[in-house]
Amino acid sequence: MATDGGETSPVAGDADDRAHAARTVAIEVAALRKSFGELAVLKGIDLTVRAGEVVCVIGPSGSGKSTLLRCVNLLEEPTSGTVRVAGTEVTGPDVDLDQVRRRIGMVFQAFNLFPHLTVLGNLTIAQRRVLRRGKEEAEDVARSNLRRVGLTEKEGSYPAPLSGGQQQRVAIARALSMGPELMLFDEPTSALDPELVGDVLAVMRRLADEGMTMLVVTHEMSFAREVADRVVFMDDGVIVEEGPPRQLIGEPRLARTRAFLSRVLDPAAAEVLEQGRE
């Protein structure tokens, strides 16, 4: 998890680099391309995420961020290239995809909860059908994860009366109940009212503190700045720039990145600048 401390000494920096290099690779994407008909959405993505690392992916709409995420667990089949999860090539012809997906939790923009099941039912159904856990064990796991997201008192509720933020936290708890080794988040706060965003981000911060490997597509720059180990900026289907959040968000090297961040961080000033150019 990123911190806002000062510059590290060369010795400390070298030690950190060696520790980082020694981490197990959780996700490895190489030469990944994805096209929908004539439209090329991903144009050769290379990305590595190590165990325990939090990587935030930012960029304008249509840049390929969500498609990248969906290719990691093969919700979208890549046109070419490879994806490995914990050493297993998920794009391989003989892969046991169900086994791989059990290691990956995914949280979408939409909550995708079953409306006819209670919160507890939503958290136990996949455990029982996919992991073959007994009712008591599945409920124990579910209640433990509801505590993690601060919703213990909602286990008997149905999704409809819950706020959007509560429903998204239930979705996170549901993913955690499958015991994933890593979590993918596809703009998990984009469908929420502004006042509900904080509770969801707080849960994600706690997961980062616990050492969960996370690949997060987000437009929440404060979250990326505070929580990410690394930020990746995508545009037009390619990775334009990546680096520690302090560098990429605070002092981006490339004009393309600076232009995007100026619009996101100070949209009023960017609008004035654009009007001045007309």
Side-chain angles (χ1 to χ4, degrees):
M1 176 174 156
T3 61
D4 293 326
E7 296 294 332
T8 58
S9 68
V11 173
D14 290 344
D16 289 343
D17 288 344
R18 287 193 297 271
H20 183 269
R23 285 180 180 173
T24 303
V25 173
I27 302 170
E28 185 177 13
V29 176
L32 184 67
R33 296 179 180 272
K34 175 62 182 179
S35 296
F36 296 95
E38 297 297 317
L39 178 63
V41 177
L42 300 179
K43 303 174 181 179
I45 301 294
D46 296 300
L47 178 66
T48 298
V49 180
R50 296 187 178 274
E53 192 175 23
V54 179
V55 175
C56 286
V57 184
I58 64 173
S61 297
S63 59
K65 307 183 302 295
S66 294
T67 301
L68 168 62
L69 217 61
R70 293 172 67 86
C71 283
V72 169
N73 65 355
L74 248 62
L75 290 177
E76 295 288 354
E77 185 173 349
T79 302
S80 63
T82 60
V83 177
R84 294 180 183 273
V85 175
T88 299
E89 185 183 341
V90 302
T91 45
D94 300 322
V95 68
D96 183 344
L97 193 54
D98 289 337
Q99 184 63 34
V100 172
R101 283 178 175 157
R102 291 175 191 177
R103 307 168 77 172
I104 305 171
M106 187 157 184
V107 178
F108 301 88
Q109 298 177 36
F111 318 126
N112 296 328
L113 300 177
F114 294 112
H116 64 290
L117 296 179
T118 64
V119 166
L120 192 65
N122 270 277
L123 268 63
T124 57
I125 185 170
Q127 291 188 68
R128 299 186 66 185
R129 293 188 178 181
V130 178
L131 301 182
R132 302 299 181 186
R133 287 174 178 162
K135 181 175 183 290
E136 185 175 347
E137 180 186 6
E139 289 183 350
D140 286 346
V141 170
R143 290 186 175 108
S144 174
N145 284 301
L146 285 174
R147 284 194 295 272
R148 293 173 76 180
V149 302
L151 289 175
T152 301
E153 75 284 358
K154 298 296 184 180
E155 70 169 60
S157 300
Y158 287 88
L162 302 180
S163 70
Q166 289 172 331
Q167 290 189 56
Q168 191 62 292
R169 283 187 283 158
V170 171
I172 294 172
R174 178 180 58 185
L176 291 173
S177 293
M178 300 297 287
E181 298 175 21
L182 60 97
M183 292 283 288
L184 308 177
F185 292 88
D186 187 6
E187 299 204 32
T189 61
S190 64
L192 303 181
D193 292 334
E195 67 269 21
L196 303 177
V197 168
D199 289 340
V200 173
L201 294 182
V203 169
M204 295 172 66
R205 286 187 179 94
R206 286 197 293 273
L207 291 178
D209 289 341
E210 293 170 7
M212 175 64 75
T213 305
M214 297 164 59
L215 182 58
V216 184
V217 170
T218 185
H219 60 274
E220 299 288 345
M221 293 300 119
S222 61
F223 176 85
R225 184 186 288 113
E226 296 167 13
V227 179
D229 295 294
R230 189 157 39 101
V231 179
V232 173
F233 170 57
M234 286 184 64
D235 192 15
D236 194 27
V238 300
I239 293 177
V240 176
E241 185 173 353
E242 62 179 293
R246 182 171 56 180
Q247 176 266 309
L248 189 135
I249 297 176
E251 299 177 359
R253 296 188 302 271
L254 302 180
R256 200 169 173 186
T257 314
R258 291 195 294 270
F260 169 75
L261 288 170
S262 69
R263 288 177 172 83
V264 172
L265 298 175
D266 193 354
E271 184 177 351
V272 170
L273 180 61
E274 290 296 327
Q275 290 173 350
R277 289 174 178 169
E278 292 177 354

Coordinates of all heavy atoms in Angstrom, one line a residue, residues 58-135:
I58 N -6.3 3.7 -14.6 CA -7.1 4.9 -14.8 C -7.0 5.2 -16.3 O -6.2 4.7 -17.0 CB -6.6 6.1 -14.0 CG1 -5.1 6.5 -14.4 CG2 -6.6 5.8 -12.5 CD1 -4.6 7.8 -13.8
G59 N -7.9 6.1 -16.8 CA -7.9 6.5 -18.2 C -9.3 6.9 -18.6 O -10.3 6.6 -17.9
P60 N -9.4 7.5 -19.8 CA -10.7 7.9 -20.2 C -11.7 6.8 -20.6 O -11.2 5.7 -20.8 CB -10.4 8.8 -21.5 CG -9.1 8.2 -21.9 CD -8.3 7.8 -20.7
S61 N -12.9 7.1 -20.7 CA -13.9 6.1 -21.2 C -13.5 5.6 -22.5 O -13.1 6.3 -23.4 CB -15.3 6.7 -21.2 OG -15.7 7.0 -19.9
G62 N -13.6 4.2 -22.7 CA -13.3 3.7 -24.0 C -11.9 3.4 -24.3 O -11.4 3.0 -25.4
S63 N -11.1 3.5 -23.2 CA -9.6 3.3 -23.3 C -9.2 1.8 -23.2 O -8.1 1.4 -23.5 CB -8.8 4.1 -22.3 OG -9.2 3.7 -21.0
G64 N -10.2 0.9 -22.8 CA -9.9 -0.5 -22.8 C -9.7 -1.0 -21.4 O -9.4 -2.2 -21.2
K65 N -9.9 -0.2 -20.4 CA -9.7 -0.6 -19.0 C -10.5 -1.8 -18.5 O -10.0 -2.8 -18.0 CB -9.9 0.6 -18.0 CG -9.2 1.9 -18.4 CD -9.5 3.0 -17.3 CE -11.0 3.3 -17.2 NZ -11.6 3.9 -18.4
S66 N -11.8 -1.7 -18.7 CA -12.7 -2.8 -18.3 C -12.5 -4.0 -19.1 O -12.6 -5.1 -18.6 CB -14.2 -2.3 -18.4 OG -14.5 -1.3 -17.5
T67 N -12.2 -3.9 -20.4 CA -11.9 -5.0 -21.2 C -10.7 -5.8 -20.7 O -10.7 -7.0 -20.7 CB -11.8 -4.6 -22.7 OG1 -13.0 -4.0 -23.1 CG2 -11.5 -5.8 -23.6
L68 N -9.7 -5.0 -20.4 CA -8.5 -5.6 -19.8 C -8.8 -6.5 -18.6 O -8.4 -7.6 -18.4 CB -7.5 -4.6 -19.4 CG -6.3 -5.0 -18.5 CD1 -5.4 -6.1 -19.3 CD2 -5.4 -3.8 -18.1
L69 N -9.6 -5.9 -17.7 CA -10.0 -6.6 -16.5 C -10.8 -7.9 -16.8 O -10.5 -9.0 -16.2 CB -10.9 -5.7 -15.6 CG -10.7 -5.8 -14.1 CD1 -9.3 -5.4 -13.7 CD2 -11.7 -4.8 -13.4
R70 N -11.7 -7.8 -17.8 CA -12.5 -8.9 -18.1 C -11.7 -10.0 -18.8 O -12.1 -11.2 -18.8 CB -13.7 -8.5 -19.0 CG -14.7 -7.6 -18.2 CD -15.8 -7.0 -19.1 NE -16.6 -8.0 -19.6 CZ -17.7 -8.5 -19.0 NH1 -18.1 -8.0 -17.8 NH2 -18.5 -9.4 -19.6
C71 N -10.6 -9.6 -19.5 CA -9.8 -10.6 -20.1 C -9.0 -11.4 -19.1 O -8.6 -12.6 -19.4 CB -8.8 -10.0 -21.1 SG -9.6 -9.5 -22.7
V72 N -8.7 -10.8 -17.9 CA -7.9 -11.5 -16.9 C -8.6 -12.8 -16.4 O -7.9 -13.8 -16.2 CB -7.6 -10.6 -15.7 CG1 -7.0 -11.3 -14.5 CG2 -6.7 -9.4 -16.1
N73 N -9.9 -12.8 -16.3 CA -10.6 -14.0 -15.9 C -11.4 -14.6 -17.0 O -12.3 -15.4 -16.8 CB -11.4 -13.9 -14.6 CG -12.5 -12.9 -14.8 OD1 -12.7 -12.3 -15.9 ND2 -13.4 -12.8 -13.8
L74 N -11.1 -14.2 -18.3 CA -11.7 -14.7 -19.5 C -13.2 -14.5 -19.6 O -13.9 -15.3 -20.2 CB -11.3 -16.2 -19.7 CG -10.4 -16.4 -20.9 CD1 -9.1 -15.7 -20.7 CD2 -10.2 -17.9 -21.1
L75 N -13.7 -13.5 -18.9 CA -15.1 -13.1 -19.3 C -15.2 -12.6 -20.7 O -16.2 -12.6 -21.3 CB -15.6 -12.0 -18.3 CG -15.8 -12.5 -16.9 CD1 -16.2 -11.3 -16.0 CD2 -16.9 -13.6 -16.8
E76 N -14.0 -12.0 -21.2 CA -13.8 -11.7 -22.6 C -12.6 -12.6 -23.0 O -11.6 -12.6 -22.4 CB -13.5 -10.3 -22.8 CG -14.6 -9.3 -22.5 CD -15.8 -9.4 -23.5 OE1 -15.7 -10.1 -24.5 OE2 -16.8 -8.7 -23.2
E77 N -12.8 -13.2 -24.2 CA -11.7 -14.1 -24.7 C -10.7 -13.2 -25.5 O -11.1 -12.6 -26.5 CB -12.2 -15.2 -25.5 CG -11.1 -16.2 -26.0 CD -11.6 -17.4 -26.7 OE1 -12.9 -17.6 -26.6 OE2 -10.8 -18.1 -27.3
P78 N -9.4 -13.1 -25.1 CA -8.5 -12.3 -25.9 C -8.4 -12.7 -27.4 O -8.6 -13.9 -27.7 CB -7.2 -12.5 -25.2 CG -7.5 -12.9 -23.8 CD -8.8 -13.7 -24.0
T79 N -8.1 -11.8 -28.2 CA -7.9 -12.1 -29.6 C -6.5 -12.7 -29.8 O -6.4 -13.7 -30.6 CB -8.0 -10.8 -30.5 OG1 -9.3 -10.2 -30.3 CG2 -7.8 -11.1 -32.0
S80 N -5.6 -12.2 -29.0 CA -4.2 -12.9 -29.0 C -3.5 -12.4 -27.7 O -4.0 -11.5 -27.0 CB -3.4 -12.4 -30.2 OG -3.2 -11.0 -30.3
G81 N -2.4 -13.0 -27.5 CA -1.6 -12.7 -26.2 C -1.9 -13.8 -25.2 O -2.7 -14.7 -25.4
T82 N -1.3 -13.6 -24.0 CA -1.5 -14.5 -22.9 C -1.8 -13.8 -21.6 O -1.4 -12.7 -21.4 CB -0.2 -15.4 -22.7 OG1 0.9 -14.5 -22.4 CG2 0.1 -16.2 -23.9
V83 N -2.5 -14.6 -20.8 CA -2.8 -14.1 -19.4 C -2.5 -15.3 -18.5 O -3.0 -16.4 -18.7 CB -4.3 -13.7 -19.2 CG1 -4.6 -13.3 -17.8 CG2 -4.7 -12.6 -20.2
R84 N -1.7 -15.0 -17.5 CA -1.4 -16.0 -16.4 C -1.8 -15.5 -15.1 O -1.6 -14.3 -14.8 CB 0.1 -16.3 -16.4 CG 0.7 -16.9 -17.6 CD 2.2 -17.2 -17.5 NE 2.7 -17.7 -18.7 CZ 2.8 -19.1 -19.0 NH1 2.3 -19.9 -18.1 NH2 3.3 -19.5 -20.1
V85 N -2.5 -16.4 -14.3 CA -2.9 -16.1 -13.0 C -2.2 -17.1 -12.1 O -2.4 -18.3 -12.2 CB -4.4 -16.1 -12.8 CG1 -4.8 -16.0 -11.4 CG2 -5.1 -15.1 -13.7
A86 N -1.3 -16.5 -11.2 CA -0.6 -17.4 -10.2 C 0.1 -18.5 -11.0 O 0.2 -19.7 -10.5 CB -1.5 -17.9 -9.1
G87 N 0.7 -18.2 -12.1 CA 1.5 -19.2 -12.9 C 0.7 -20.0 -13.9 O 1.2 -20.7 -14.7
T88 N -0.7 -20.0 -13.8 CA -1.5 -20.8 -14.7 C -1.9 -19.9 -15.9 O -2.5 -18.8 -15.7 CB -2.8 -21.3 -14.0 OG1 -2.4 -22.1 -12.9 CG2 -3.6 -22.1 -14.9
E89 N -1.7 -20.4 -17.1 CA -2.1 -19.7 -18.3 C -3.6 -19.8 -18.5 O -4.0 -20.9 -19.0 CB -1.3 -20.1 -19.5 CG -1.6 -19.2 -20.7 CD -0.9 -19.7 -22.0 OE1 0.1 -20.4 -21.9 OE2 -1.3 -19.3 -23.1
V90 N -4.3 -18.8 -18.2 CA -5.8 -18.9 -18.3 C -6.2 -18.9 -19.8 O -7.3 -19.3 -20.1 CB -6.5 -17.8 -17.6 CG1 -6.2 -17.8 -16.1 CG2 -6.2 -16.4 -18.1
T91 N -5.3 -18.4 -20.7 CA -5.6 -18.4 -22.1 C -5.1 -19.7 -22.8 O -5.3 -19.9 -24.0 CB -4.9 -17.2 -22.8 OG1 -3.5 -17.1 -22.3 CG2 -5.6 -15.9 -22.5
G92 N -4.6 -20.7 -22.0 CA -4.2 -21.9 -22.6 C -5.3 -22.8 -23.0 O -6.4 -22.7 -22.4
P93 N -5.1 -23.7 -23.9 CA -6.2 -24.5 -24.5 C -6.8 -25.5 -23.5 O -7.9 -25.9 -23.6 CB -5.6 -25.2 -25.7 CG -4.2 -25.2 -25.4 CD -3.9 -23.9 -24.7
D94 N -5.9 -26.0 -22.5 CA -6.3 -27.0 -21.6 C -6.6 -26.6 -20.2 O -6.7 -27.4 -19.3 CB -5.2 -28.1 -21.6 CG -5.0 -28.7 -23.0 OD1 -6.0 -28.9 -23.7 OD2 -3.8 -29.0 -23.3
V95 N -6.7 -25.3 -20.0 CA -6.9 -24.7 -18.7 C -8.3 -25.1 -18.1 O -9.3 -25.2 -18.8 CB -6.8 -23.2 -18.7 CG1 -7.9 -22.5 -19.4 CG2 -6.7 -22.6 -17.3
D96 N -8.3 -25.4 -16.8 CA -9.5 -25.6 -16.1 C -10.0 -24.2 -15.6 O -9.6 -23.7 -14.5 CB -9.2 -26.5 -14.9 CG -10.5 -26.8 -14.1 OD1 -11.5 -26.1 -14.3 OD2 -10.5 -27.8 -13.3
L97 N -10.8 -23.6 -16.4 CA -11.2 -22.2 -16.2 C -11.9 -22.0 -14.9 O -11.8 -21.0 -14.2 CB -12.0 -21.7 -17.4 CG -12.2 -20.2 -17.5 CD1 -10.8 -19.4 -17.4 CD2 -12.9 -19.8 -18.7
D98 N -12.8 -23.0 -14.6 CA -13.6 -22.9 -13.3 C -12.6 -22.9 -12.1 O -12.9 -22.1 -11.2 CB -14.6 -24.0 -13.2 CG -15.7 -23.9 -14.2 OD1 -16.0 -22.8 -14.7 OD2 -16.3 -25.0 -14.5
Q99 N -11.6 -23.7 -12.2 CA -10.7 -23.7 -11.1 C -9.9 -22.4 -11.0 O -9.7 -21.9 -9.9 CB -9.7 -24.9 -11.3 CG -8.7 -25.1 -10.2 CD -9.4 -25.5 -8.9 OE1 -10.4 -26.2 -8.9 NE2 -8.8 -25.1 -7.8
V100 N -9.5 -21.8 -12.1 CA -8.8 -20.5 -12.1 C -9.7 -19.5 -11.5 O -9.3 -18.6 -10.7 CB -8.3 -20.2 -13.5 CG1 -7.8 -18.7 -13.5 CG2 -7.3 -21.1 -13.9
R101 N -11.0 -19.4 -12.0 CA -11.9 -18.4 -11.5 C -12.2 -18.4 -10.0 O -12.6 -17.4 -9.4 CB -13.2 -18.4 -12.4 CG -13.0 -17.9 -13.8 CD -14.3 -18.0 -14.6 NE -14.2 -17.4 -15.9 CZ -15.0 -17.7 -16.9 NH1 -15.9 -18.7 -16.8 NH2 -14.8 -17.1 -18.1
R102 N -12.1 -19.6 -9.4 CA -12.3 -19.7 -8.0 C -11.2 -18.9 -7.2 O -11.4 -18.6 -6.1 CB -12.3 -21.2 -7.6 CG -13.5 -22.0 -8.1 CD -13.3 -23.4 -7.7 NE -14.3 -24.2 -8.4 CZ -14.4 -25.6 -8.3 NH1 -13.5 -26.2 -7.6 NH2 -15.3 -26.2 -9.0
R103 N -10.1 -18.6 -7.9 CA -9.0 -17.9 -7.2 C -9.2 -16.4 -7.4 O -8.4 -15.7 -6.8 CB -7.7 -18.4 -7.8 CG -7.5 -19.9 -7.7 CD -6.4 -20.4 -8.5 NE -5.1 -20.2 -7.9 CZ -3.9 -20.6 -8.3 NH1 -3.9 -21.4 -9.4 NH2 -2.8 -20.4 -7.6
I104 N -10.1 -16.0 -8.2 CA -10.3 -14.6 -8.6 C -11.7 -14.1 -8.1 O -12.7 -14.7 -8.6 CB -10.1 -14.4 -10.1 CG1 -8.8 -15.0 -10.6 CG2 -10.3 -12.9 -10.5 CD1 -8.7 -15.0 -12.1
G105 N -11.7 -13.0 -7.3 CA -12.9 -12.4 -7.0 C -13.1 -11.2 -7.9 O -12.2 -10.5 -8.2
M106 N -14.3 -11.0 -8.4 CA -14.6 -9.8 -9.3 C -15.8 -9.0 -8.8 O -16.8 -9.6 -8.5 CB -14.7 -10.2 -10.7 CG -14.8 -9.0 -11.7 SD -14.4 -9.4 -13.4 CE -14.5 -7.8 -14.1
V107 N -15.6 -7.7 -8.7 CA -16.7 -6.8 -8.3 C -17.0 -5.8 -9.5 O -16.0 -5.2 -9.9 CB -16.4 -6.0 -7.0 CG1 -17.5 -5.1 -6.7 CG2 -16.1 -7.0 -5.9
F108 N -18.2 -5.8 -9.9 CA -18.6 -5.0 -11.1 C -19.2 -3.7 -10.7 O -19.4 -3.4 -9.6 CB -19.6 -5.8 -12.0 CG -19.1 -7.1 -12.5 CD1 -19.3 -8.3 -11.7 CD2 -18.5 -7.3 -13.7 CE1 -18.9 -9.5 -12.1 CE2 -18.1 -8.5 -14.1 CZ -18.2 -9.6 -13.3
Q109 N -19.4 -2.8 -11.8 CA -20.1 -1.6 -11.5 C -21.5 -1.9 -11.0 O -22.0 -1.2 -10.1 CB -20.2 -0.8 -12.8 CG -18.8 -0.4 -13.4 CD -19.0 0.3 -14.7 OE1 -19.9 1.1 -14.9 NE2 -18.1 0.1 -15.7
A110 N -22.2 -2.8 -11.7 CA -23.5 -3.2 -11.2 C -23.3 -4.2 -10.1 O -22.3 -4.9 -10.1 CB -24.3 -3.8 -12.3
F111 N -24.3 -4.3 -9.2 CA -24.1 -5.2 -8.0 C -24.3 -6.6 -8.3 O -23.8 -7.5 -7.7 CB -25.0 -4.7 -6.9 CG -25.0 -3.2 -6.8 CD1 -26.2 -2.5 -6.8 CD2 -23.9 -2.4 -6.7 CE1 -26.3 -1.1 -6.7 CE2 -23.9 -1.0 -6.6 CZ -25.1 -0.4 -6.6
N112 N -25.2 -6.9 -9.2 CA -25.5 -8.3 -9.7 C -25.9 -9.2 -8.5 O -25.5 -10.4 -8.5 CB -24.3 -8.9 -10.4 CG -24.0 -8.1 -11.7 OD1 -24.9 -7.6 -12.3 ND2 -22.7 -8.0 -12.0
L113 N -26.7 -8.7 -7.6 CA -27.2 -9.5 -6.5 C -28.5 -10.2 -6.9 O -29.2 -9.7 -7.7 CB -27.4 -8.7 -5.2 CG -26.2 -7.9 -4.7 CD1 -26.6 -7.1 -3.5 CD2 -25.1 -8.9 -4.3
F114 N -28.7 -11.4 -6.3 CA -30.0 -12.1 -6.6 C -31.1 -11.4 -5.8 O -31.1 -11.5 -4.5 CB -29.9 -13.6 -6.2 CG -28.9 -14.3 -7.1 CD1 -27.8 -14.8 -6.6 CD2 -29.2 -14.5 -8.4 CE1 -26.9 -15.5 -7.4 CE2 -28.4 -15.2 -9.3 CZ -27.2 -15.8 -8.7
P115 N -32.1 -10.8 -6.4 CA -33.1 -10.0 -5.6 C -34.0 -10.9 -4.8 O -34.6 -10.4 -3.8 CB -33.9 -9.3 -6.7 CG -33.7 -10.2 -8.0 CD -32.3 -10.7 -7.9
H116 N -34.1 -12.2 -5.1 CA -35.1 -13.1 -4.4 C -34.4 -13.8 -3.2 O -35.0 -14.5 -2.5 CB -35.6 -14.2 -5.4 CG -34.6 -15.1 -5.9 ND1 -33.6 -14.7 -6.8 CD2 -34.3 -16.4 -5.6 CE1 -32.8 -15.7 -7.1 NE2 -33.2 -16.8 -6.4
L117 N -33.1 -13.5 -3.0 CA -32.3 -14.1 -1.9 C -32.0 -13.0 -0.9 O -31.7 -11.9 -1.3 CB -31.0 -14.8 -2.4 CG -31.2 -16.0 -3.3 CD1 -29.8 -16.5 -3.7 CD2 -32.0 -17.1 -2.7
T118 N -31.9 -13.4 0.4 CA -31.4 -12.5 1.4 C -29.9 -12.2 1.2 O -29.3 -12.9 0.4 CB -31.6 -13.0 2.8 OG1 -30.8 -14.2 2.9 CG2 -33.1 -13.4 3.0
V119 N -29.4 -11.3 1.9 CA -28.0 -11.0 1.9 C -27.2 -12.3 2.2 O -26.2 -12.6 1.5 CB -27.6 -9.9 2.9 CG1 -26.1 -9.8 3.1 CG2 -28.1 -8.5 2.3
L120 N -27.6 -13.0 3.2 CA -26.9 -14.2 3.6 C -27.0 -15.2 2.5 O -26.1 -15.9 2.2 CB -27.5 -14.8 4.9 CG -26.7 -15.9 5.6 CD1 -25.3 -15.4 6.0 CD2 -27.5 -16.5 6.7
G121 N -28.2 -15.3 1.9 CA -28.4 -16.2 0.8 C -27.5 -15.9 -0.4 O -26.9 -16.8 -1.1
N122 N -27.3 -14.6 -0.7 CA -26.4 -14.2 -1.8 C -25.0 -14.6 -1.5 O -24.3 -14.9 -2.5 CB -26.5 -12.7 -2.0 CG -27.6 -12.3 -3.0 OD1 -27.4 -12.3 -4.2 ND2 -28.8 -11.9 -2.5
L123 N -24.6 -14.6 -0.3 CA -23.2 -14.9 0.1 C -23.0 -16.4 0.2 O -21.8 -16.8 0.2 CB -22.8 -14.3 1.4 CG -22.2 -12.9 1.3 CD1 -23.1 -11.9 0.7 CD2 -21.7 -12.4 2.6
T124 N -24.0 -17.2 0.3 CA -23.8 -18.7 0.5 C -24.1 -19.5 -0.7 O -23.6 -20.6 -0.8 CB -24.7 -19.2 1.7 OG1 -26.1 -18.9 1.4 CG2 -24.3 -18.5 3.0
I125 N -24.8 -19.0 -1.7 CA -25.3 -19.9 -2.8 C -24.1 -20.4 -3.6 O -24.0 -21.6 -3.9 CB -26.3 -19.1 -3.7 CG1 -26.9 -20.1 -4.7 CG2 -25.8 -17.9 -4.3 CD1 -28.0 -19.5 -5.5
A126 N -23.2 -19.5 -3.9 CA -22.0 -20.0 -4.7 C -21.1 -20.9 -3.9 O -20.5 -21.8 -4.4 CB -21.2 -18.8 -5.3
Q127 N -21.0 -20.6 -2.6 CA -20.1 -21.4 -1.7 C -20.7 -22.8 -1.7 O -19.9 -23.8 -1.8 CB -20.2 -20.9 -0.3 CG -19.5 -19.6 -0.1 CD -19.4 -19.3 1.4 OE1 -18.7 -20.0 2.2 NE2 -20.2 -18.3 1.9
R128 N -22.0 -23.0 -1.7 CA -22.6 -24.3 -1.5 C -22.6 -25.0 -2.9 O -22.3 -26.2 -2.9 CB -24.0 -24.2 -1.0 CG -24.0 -23.6 0.5 CD -25.4 -23.6 1.1 NE -25.8 -25.0 1.4 CZ -27.0 -25.3 1.8 NH1 -27.9 -24.3 2.1 NH2 -27.3 -26.5 2.0
R129 N -22.8 -24.3 -4.0 CA -23.0 -25.0 -5.2 C -21.6 -25.2 -5.9 O -21.4 -26.2 -6.6 CB -23.9 -24.2 -6.2 CG -25.3 -24.1 -5.7 CD -26.3 -23.5 -6.7 NE -27.6 -23.5 -6.2 CZ -28.7 -23.0 -7.0 NH1 -28.4 -22.5 -8.1 NH2 -29.9 -23.1 -6.5
V130 N -20.7 -24.2 -5.8 CA -19.4 -24.3 -6.5 C -18.4 -25.0 -5.6 O -17.6 -25.9 -6.0 CB -19.0 -22.9 -6.9 CG1 -17.6 -23.0 -7.6 CG2 -20.0 -22.3 -7.9
L131 N -18.3 -24.5 -4.3 CA -17.2 -25.0 -3.4 C -17.7 -26.2 -2.6 O -16.9 -26.8 -1.9 CB -16.8 -23.9 -2.4 CG -16.2 -22.7 -3.1 CD1 -15.8 -21.7 -2.0 CD2 -15.0 -23.0 -4.0
R132 N -19.0 -26.5 -2.7 CA -19.6 -27.7 -2.1 C -19.5 -27.6 -0.5 O -19.3 -28.6 0.2 CB -18.9 -29.0 -2.5 CG -19.1 -29.2 -4.0 CD -20.5 -29.3 -4.5 NE -20.6 -29.5 -5.9 CZ -21.8 -29.5 -6.6 NH1 -22.9 -29.3 -5.9 NH2 -21.8 -29.7 -7.9
R133 N -19.5 -26.4 0.0 CA -19.5 -26.2 1.4 C -20.9 -26.6 2.0 O -21.9 -26.3 1.4 CB -19.1 -24.8 1.8 CG -17.7 -24.5 1.6 CD -17.4 -23.0 1.9 NE -15.9 -22.8 1.7 CZ -15.4 -21.5 1.5 NH1 -16.2 -20.5 1.5 NH2 -14.1 -21.4 1.4
G134 N -20.9 -27.1 3.2 CA -22.2 -27.3 3.9 C -22.8 -26.0 4.4 O -22.1 -25.0 4.4
K135 N -24.1 -26.1 4.7 CA -24.8 -24.9 5.0 C -24.2 -24.1 6.2 O -24.0 -22.9 6.1 CB -26.3 -25.2 5.4 CG -27.2 -24.1 5.7 CD -28.6 -24.6 5.9 CE -29.6 -23.4 6.2 NZ -29.3 -22.8 7.6

